[in-house]
Amino acid sequence: MSPLVNYYHLLAVPQTASLEQIKQAFRKLARQYHPDLAGAASKDQFLRIHEAYQVLSDPERRRAFDARLQEHARPNTPPKTVVQPPATSRTPDLALKRFTLREQLKKKRYTLVITEAEAFLQQAPDLEIRHLLALAYQRLGNALLYRGDRVQAKNYLQKALATEPQNSELAFEVQRDLARL
């Protein structure tokens, strides 16, 4: 008998997740693993994610899946294998987060980058995300400087320096912007 794949783990949602949470998780993972975006090698993972979404988004199929999952968890039945997502599944999430933040930075959505990067860094440290946060601070500070909001500009430029003090290129840019004040 083939092992039962835990669709909740595959989509990284709790068993109590709402339909909206399941949709959001599926959409995020679908963008990450879609073969047109991630390459042909991700096709199998994409198909597994799609299957999980189809089951968990249909109330009747979800109830049946929950019953099977519960049956596998009963202590009086022989242990059966429940497949978990690979331990490296956080790595693609991190790569996707980095890519998304870089794209938002290119589109000059500095406050969005700042908000998302700060939230992510509270959960897990990452040097590249910290770098993107420092860049967003510096670029927002620069934009505010050009708009004439000197107080806010100075605050964001100082945040950029504090976020990544060892980055000499960033320090040069910030110092140049601060000199304009």
Side-chain angles (χ1 to χ4, degrees):
M1 181 174 197
S2 66
L4 176 66
V5 176
N6 188 328
Y7 293 142
Y8 295 105
H9 288 271
L10 195 61
L11 293 178
V13 295
Q15 195 165 350
T16 57
S18 67
L19 181 58
E20 188 58 35
Q21 290 172 310
I22 291 169
K23 281 182 185 178
Q24 287 176 349
F26 168 71
R27 288 179 182 149
K28 177 183 172 186
L29 292 169
R31 283 191 301 267
Q32 181 179 344
Y33 291 107
H34 196 282
D36 292 344
L37 299 172
S42 65
K43 182 179 180 183
D44 290 337
Q45 183 67 12
F46 177 77
L47 292 174
R48 284 191 292 270
I49 291 164
H50 188 262
E51 178 183 352
Y53 173 70
Q54 286 185 323
V55 170
L56 296 181
S57 64
D58 180 306
E60 204 170 300
R61 292 176 72 186
R62 184 174 179 178
R63 274 192 293 279
F65 174 75
D66 287 345
R68 283 189 17 234
L69 197 61
Q70 190 72 4
E71 182 181 308
H72 276 68
R74 287 190 190 135
N76 60 352
T77 59
K80 297 177 184 172
T81 308
V82 176
V83 177
Q84 304 294 339
T88 59
S89 67
R90 298 295 294 156
T91 305
D93 289 343
L94 181 59
L96 177 64
K97 176 58 78 178
R98 289 172 177 164
F99 174 78
T100 303
L101 290 175
R102 281 192 301 269
E103 290 301 308
Q104 297 301 329
L105 202 57
K106 287 178 189 174
K107 294 176 182 175
K108 300 182 181 181
R109 295 181 179 159
Y110 306 129
T111 54
L112 179 65
V113 173
I114 290 168
T115 304
E116 289 188 13
E118 286 175 343
F120 186 85
L121 288 173
Q122 286 179 353
Q123 296 171 0
D126 181 69
L127 292 176
E128 186 173 344
I129 299 226
R130 182 171 300 284
H131 174 69
L132 293 170
L133 176 60
L135 286 177
Y137 282 144
Q138 186 271 329
R139 291 180 184 173
L140 181 57
N142 186 283
L144 290 167
L145 182 63
Y146 279 104
R147 287 187 208 148
D149 191 348
R150 295 175 182 272
V151 174
Q152 284 288 81
K154 184 177 180 181
N155 288 339
Y156 281 107
L157 291 170
Q158 289 173 338
K159 282 184 178 184
L161 278 179
T163 302
E164 205 174 24
Q166 74 284 1
N167 186 333
S168 59
E169 289 178 33
L170 180 69
F172 174 78
E173 294 287 329
V174 169
Q175 294 301 330
R176 186 190 66 194
D177 291 338
L178 286 172
R180 290 184 191 152
L181 292 172

